[in-house]
Amino acid sequence: MIHIPENIRSLQTYKPGKASDAVLQQQPIVLCSNENNFGPSPMAVEAIKEASERIFLYPDPTAQQLRTKLAQHLGIQADQLVFGNGSDAILSTLFNAFFSAGESILTSSGSFVSLYPMAQMNRVPVHKVPLTEEYGFDLHKLLLNIRPHTKAIYLCNPNNPTGAMIPQEELEQFLDQVPEHILVIVDEAYFEFAEYMSAAYPDSTRLGYENVISLRTFSKAYGLAGVRLGYAIGPVPLIEALTKVKLTFNPNLLAQAAGVAALQDEAHVQKTLSNNAIWLDRFSQTFRQMGIRYAPSYANFLMLDLESEEKATEFCQHLQAKGILVRHLASFGLPHCVRVSVGRPAENERMLEVVQARFGLLRQEH
Ligand code: PMP
């Protein structure tokens, strides 16, 4: 018998936000995984088709073309970047590259759901402080909980699944107080959305700290979740360590080609970002009128607080019965909450219509 270590045995198998293939075949409205329902730029799709003629070749392990384009786009040095098979692959590499036995990671509860098992599978203990009342990271509590064994702090800005944002001033004050030997990972999977919506949203890569690594992705604003392409931006010595550890031929050739093309289609991203801002407003306005609590969001989703697990379950089941998939946040440790992604206009319209027809009326009756 092969012994499976306890840290692996006790992991839960990932429960995807999406329903089974059978449900997906009925072509539901998918608002459960914070994807971009406009899809990627047609230029990215075309680039994938062209690149498919070369898929018998290994991809460029340094992703030179993508690296050059993205460095230009971001206004940073090319050697400040490392790419991965989605930003979750890079998060996983961070555990391999920086942690020694006995070192722990400090973060908040109610944040990115993959972080916690990823730490566990890498035998890194996770210390969590609770979210603030506004569903944000409690930076004060995080500082108070730094211990000699703390190797890194994980922040998610804006936070998935709550949408809360850490403004520039608070982030800088926090980073000033974190000891230099502690790595701060700032997960900015929803960077483009937040930057579009708020002047107070900080670009963590521009703050000049030598212990900060920022994670970004092509899965959200660029609509490329299915091809898996993410990256980290950071100081060169940290990026070098990550580059040594990452699997060599990751990301793949199609993802690299898609990324290069996606960066050229600024109009597509702008359309996505403006649609998102308009509909987040509409979502917020409608739920406010209905008396449903929500957390103000700077990402491409809105988290609703339905006050009890029963109500949250009923909400999701009703929408699913009407062909709309949203995310119940029980597995995120927020069983009374539901996360609704922003989709295309007709999808959003339909979601609001279904919610109002069922739950709007209910509230007026009582
Ligand atoms: N970080 C956060 C906060 C996320 O929400 C997600 C995706 N849901 C990821 C990382 C991973 O993104 P990807 O691996 O697709 O780049």
Side-chain angles (χ1 to χ4, degrees):
M1 268 266 279
I2 303 297
H3 171 72
I4 298 174
E6 178 52 29
N7 67 313
I8 302 299
R9 241 182 320 148
S10 61
L11 282 173
Q12 308 266 338
T13 305
Y14 180 69
K15 254 177 81 187
K18 285 202 185 67
S20 63
D21 279 355
V23 175
L24 287 178
Q25 265 169 15
Q26 294 161 15
Q27 300 196 311
I29 294 175
V30 179
L31 302 178
C32 55
S33 299
N34 306 339
E35 294 143 337
N36 180 351
N37 288 0
F38 285 122
S41 158
M43 288 159 75
V45 176
E46 199 46 46
I48 289 175
K49 282 186 194 154
E50 275 173 26
S52 69
E53 288 170 18
R54 301 192 300 280
I55 52 171
F56 61 98
L57 299 169
Y58 283 104
D60 172 3
T62 65
Q64 205 53 49
Q65 214 192 338
L66 177 60
R67 173 182 299 279
T68 309
K69 278 262 155 25
L70 186 60
Q72 259 170 15
H73 177 80
L74 297 172
I76 58 167
Q77 287 168 227
D79 54 1
Q80 284 182 272
L81 285 167
V82 62
F83 294 92
N85 197 9
S87 60
D88 60 358
I90 301 185
L91 197 51
S92 172
T93 309
L94 282 163
F95 284 108
N96 306 143
F98 295 117
F99 287 80
S100 304
E103 293 180 331
S104 64
I105 187 162
L106 176 61
T107 187
S108 179
S109 58
S111 188
F112 181 40
V113 71
S114 298
L115 174 79
Y116 315 110
M118 224 180 253
Q120 184 179 332
M121 68 184 82
N122 285 285
R123 297 185 172 83
V124 172
V126 185
H127 293 279
K128 292 184 252 182
V129 304
L131 288 166
T132 63
E133 299 233 318
E134 292 78 40
Y135 292 112
F137 271 74
D138 192 328
L139 299 181
H140 180 66
K141 277 218 181 79
L142 284 173
L143 288 173
L144 290 177
N145 278 277
I146 291 175
R147 298 285 178 270
H149 51 72
T150 306
K151 176 64 181 225
I153 301 175
Y154 170 90
L155 305 177
C156 189
N157 195 28
N159 186 36
N160 178 17
T162 68
M165 187 253 284
I166 306 167
Q168 170 124 4
E169 207 181 317
E170 281 177 40
L171 183 64
E172 284 193 272
Q173 275 171 12
F174 172 78
L175 293 173
D176 282 342
Q177 292 173 77
V178 174
E180 283 169 12
H181 67 274
I182 295 182
L183 175 68
V184 181
I185 303 162
V186 189
D187 188 334
E188 297 177 340
Y190 303 93
F191 175 85
E192 294 83 0
F193 299 101
E195 193 193 37
Y196 184 86
M197 287 188 280
S198 171
Y201 177 68
D203 176 343
S204 63
T205 68
R206 304 229 164 261
L207 304 178
Y209 293 87
E210 291 301 313
N211 58 337
V212 173
I213 286 196
S214 315
L215 300 178
R216 307 244 180 108
T217 182
F218 281 79
S219 297
K220 309 295 177 183
Y222 290 95
L224 285 166
V227 297
R228 317 301 301 125
L229 182 61
Y231 56 99
I233 310 165
V236 174
L238 302 184
I239 293 296
E240 270 176 10
L242 283 174
T243 305
K244 285 181 197 165
V245 169
K246 86 172 188 76
L247 294 177
T248 310
F249 295 114
N250 142 14
N252 72 62
L253 187 138
L254 300 177
Q256 292 186 28
V260 171
L263 286 172
Q264 282 157 16
D265 195 349
E266 195 49 43
H268 186 75
V269 179
Q270 286 305 311
K271 173 177 136 185
T272 299
L273 302 181
S274 102
N275 176 73
N276 187 65
I278 290 167
W279 281 98
L280 265 186
D281 258 7
R282 280 277 305 277
F283 282 14
S284 308
Q285 217 179 324
T286 309
F287 291 123
R288 196 180 318 126
Q289 282 163 1
M290 292 174 67
I292 295 180
R293 277 188 66 193
Y294 62 89
S297 173
Y298 294 87
N300 64 345
F301 54 82
L302 192 70
M303 188 183 81
L304 310 179
D305 177 348
L306 294 163
E307 290 161 26
S308 72
E309 179 157 11
E310 292 69 37
K311 284 185 188 161
T313 306
E314 190 204 345
F315 186 94
C316 295
Q317 282 174 350
H318 180 71
L319 262 69
Q320 179 155 349
K322 297 284 182 188
I324 302 169
L325 307 181
V326 295
R327 187 82 185 246
H328 187 193
L329 297 177
S331 63
F332 287 63
L334 296 160
H336 54 300
C337 295
V338 171
R339 191 189 64 198
V340 184
S341 309
V342 175
R344 288 171 292 182
E347 297 171 324
N348 301 330
E349 202 84 73
R350 174 77 185 136
M351 183 278 294
L352 289 179
E353 197 181 281
V354 167
V355 171
Q356 278 174 308
R358 176 78 171 85
F359 300 97
L361 278 179
L362 261 188
R363 286 195 180 240
Q364 280 162 23
E365 280 164 11
H366 290 286

